[in-house]
């Protein structure tokens, strides 16, 4: 796999990347579960390499990360006992992290996200079959007592509000459903929507999802069959419609065992969608039809071994993928015309890197 990654580095030299404002700097945050630390990196856009900035220890198994909408705070869920969330302030000049607080969470949380105001932390527990809401203080510290805990079907895996912050959704991998809620952003309360759930096919295992920037579509990644379901979305009602299509993220002719999809991301302009599949250690690249929401796969790219996490920068120029078994990150340049990925740099990290978030500062 390393040979494939290094071989593609040369391809990236032909990619024409549009300029980014000189004042902006791009920082990458990676949680390393086994070594219990967060890697802070900077993307050197000119050299097209990852520059180490800081390594921050935490007190437990570091996994999902959430960054506040104003980019002032970073939260990481610690999935070993005692289950908790570590919160940090982000230095706007350097991207470095400073500890704010570590507070309990109701369970081991497989996913965390702030609401669109940054006042509440939403979390989903795979083992505990629940989602929770905790308030976030003005200093970035998460309140120890949740405002709400909601029982779900088996294996809640992700929870997130839509762009309006009036609606929320939670995937249940073991229940093959997406739960639909209204969200009270004043009190931090979830309530079942008029249509409380959307069922997927049996055995799909809904995992992560993203909203199209135009708010017309939702893309749901299914872990157990490595597919993506495309749904129309009514942002006024806050409800998913009937599935438009289902596409695979597995390489053609895949015979590597049970599928194991991990992450899905969409570009800021909504033109392209990316997904990782752990069993084949690949990234799939899709073009998005703006009118219909349908996907056309344009590439399957070998990447780091067991790629649980990856992320895109907001300009759609770079992608960073990490491998849980390779303990490394690869930086890819994204061709602005084709969306094609070209590896430009590879960097060793801590043990079991699994979650990636990228932000621009200031």
């Amino acid at each position: 796999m390393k040979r494939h990654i290094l071989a593609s580095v040369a391809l990236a030299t032909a990619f024409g990347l549009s300029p980014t404002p000189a004042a902006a700097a791009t920082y990458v945050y990676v949680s390393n579960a086994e070594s219990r630390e967060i890697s802070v990196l900077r993307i050197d856009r000119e050299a097209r390499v990852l520059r180490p900035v800081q390594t921050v220890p935490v007190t437990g198994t570091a996994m999902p990360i959430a960054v506040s909408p104003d980019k002032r705070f970073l939260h990481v869920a610690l999935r070993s006992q005692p289950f908790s969330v570590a919160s940090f302030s982000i230095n706007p000049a350097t991207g470095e992290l400073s500890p704010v607080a570590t507070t309990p969470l109701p369970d081991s949380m497989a996913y965390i996200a702030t609401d669109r105001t940054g006042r509440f932390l939403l979390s989903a527990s795979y083992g505990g079959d629940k989602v929770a809401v905790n308030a976030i203080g003005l200093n970035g510290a998460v309140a120890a007592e949740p405002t709400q805990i909601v029982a779900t079907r088996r294996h809640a895996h992700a929870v997130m509000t839509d762009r309006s912050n009036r609606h929320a959704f939670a995937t249940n991998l073991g229940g093959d459903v997406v739960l639909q809620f209204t969200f009270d952003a004043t009190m931090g309360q979830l309530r079942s929507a008029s249509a409380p759930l959307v069922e997927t096919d049996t055995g799909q295992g809904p995992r992560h999802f993203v909203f199209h920037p135009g708010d017309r579509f939702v893309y749901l990644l299914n872990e157990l069959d490595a597919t993506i379901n495309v749904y129309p979305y009514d942002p006024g009602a806050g409800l998913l419609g009937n599935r438009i299509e289902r596409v695979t993220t597995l390489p053609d002719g895949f015979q590597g065992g049970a599928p194991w999809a991990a992450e899905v991301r969409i570009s800021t302009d909504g033109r392209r969608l990316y997904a990782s599949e752990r069993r084949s250690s690949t990234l799939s690249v899709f073009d998005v039809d703006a009118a219909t929401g349908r996907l056309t796969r344009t590439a399957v790219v070998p990447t780091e071994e067991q790629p649980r996490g990856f992320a895109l920068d907001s300009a759609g120029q770079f992608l960073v993928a990490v491998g849980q078994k390779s303990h490394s990150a690869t930086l890819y340049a994204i061709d602005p015309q084709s969306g094609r990925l070209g590896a430009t740099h590879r960097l060793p990290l801590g043990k079991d890197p699994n979650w990636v978030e990228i932000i621009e500062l200031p």
Side-chain angles (χ1 to χ4, degrees):
M1 192 61 64
K2 180 179 179 181
R3 190 164 59 248
H4 290 295
I5 294 169
L6 296 177
S8 63
V9 168
L11 295 175
T13 59
F15 290 3
L17 300 179
S18 57
T20 298
T26 305
Y27 293 95
V28 182
Y29 299 91
V30 181
S31 59
N32 301 288
E34 190 176 340
S35 53
R36 299 189 171 196
E37 62 191 10
I38 301 170
S39 297
V40 183
L41 316 170
R42 179 176 61 85
I43 297 178
D44 184 328
R45 291 179 173 273
E46 185 175 350
R48 300 183 185 183
V49 299
L50 294 168
R51 306 284 190 193
V53 173
Q54 184 188 28
T55 300
V56 182
V58 293
T59 58
T61 303
M63 297 192 75
I65 293 174
V67 176
S68 63
D70 60 9
K71 305 175 188 177
R72 293 179 57 210
F73 302 106
L74 179 145
H75 310 279
V76 58
L78 308 180
R79 298 191 66 188
S80 53
Q81 291 277 11
F83 305 130
S84 55
V85 57
S87 301
F88 299 86
S89 62
I90 301 174
N91 186 316
T94 67
E96 293 181 323
L97 301 178
S98 297
V100 171
T102 298
T103 51
L105 287 179
D107 215 313
S108 171
M109 296 304 184
Y111 194 98
I112 60 173
T114 70
D115 79 322
R116 304 292 171 155
T117 70
R119 295 180 56 239
F120 294 99
L121 185 79
L122 288 75
S123 55
S125 175
Y126 180 91
D129 307 328
K130 62 173 69 79
V131 295
V133 184
N134 289 66
I136 302 174
L138 294 177
N139 67 344
V142 176
E145 291 297 324
T147 63
Q148 187 182 27
I149 298 175
V150 179
T152 66
R153 294 194 183 184
R154 291 182 62 243
H155 301 333
H157 215 306
V159 60
M160 184 167 54
T161 62
D162 71 350
R163 216 173 313 276
S164 75
N165 212 40
R166 295 185 296 112
H167 310 285
F169 301 83
T171 55
N172 285 194
L173 185 146
D176 289 316
V177 297
V178 179
L179 301 180
Q180 303 188 122
F181 300 95
T182 61
F183 180 64
D184 182 336
T186 301
M187 302 300 295
Q189 293 286 313
L190 296 166
R191 298 181 179 88
S192 290
S194 56
L197 58 85
V198 173
E199 294 185 351
T200 66
D201 293 346
T202 301
Q204 281 198 288
R207 179 180 168 91
H208 290 180
F209 60 99
V210 291
F211 294 91
H212 188 276
D215 286 334
R216 294 182 57 202
F217 309 105
V218 168
Y219 298 91
L220 171 67
L221 181 71
N222 300 297
E223 178 175 325
L224 302 182
D225 67 357
T227 61
I228 297 171
N229 291 356
V230 182
Y231 296 96
Y233 181 55
D234 181 341
L239 300 175
L240 304 183
N242 294 327
R243 188 176 71 193
I244 295 170
E245 69 171 345
R246 179 177 69 176
V247 299
T248 187
T249 67
L250 291 170
D252 292 341
F254 173 77
Q255 295 182 343
W260 201 19
E263 185 62 287
V264 61
R265 302 274 187 167
I266 193 165
S267 60
T268 304
D269 62 11
R271 295 174 58 202
R272 292 187 181 89
L273 187 97
Y274 301 82
S276 65
E277 203 286 317
R278 285 172 284 187
R279 200 72 69 187
S280 59
S281 294
T282 56
L283 298 168
S284 284
V285 184
F286 299 88
D287 283 346
V288 180
D289 186 305
T292 67
R294 290 181 175 271
L295 301 175
T296 301
R297 188 159 67 177
T298 60
V300 179
V301 181
T303 190
E304 296 288 345
E305 187 176 3
Q306 199 166 298
R308 184 186 181 110
F310 71 93
L312 311 170
D313 74 325
S314 63
Q317 296 176 342
F318 292 100
L319 182 151
V320 176
V322 298
Q324 288 188 282
K325 289 190 174 180
S326 60
H327 313 300
S328 296
T330 294
L331 175 68
Y332 296 90
I334 302 174
D335 182 271
Q337 276 72 49
S338 68
R340 187 179 180 187
L341 301 178
T344 65
H345 186 228
R346 192 165 189 257
L347 183 71
L349 295 174
K351 293 182 179 180
D352 190 6
N354 64 91
W355 202 281
V356 185
E357 293 294 338
I358 301 177
I359 62 173
E360 276 72 43
L361 297 173

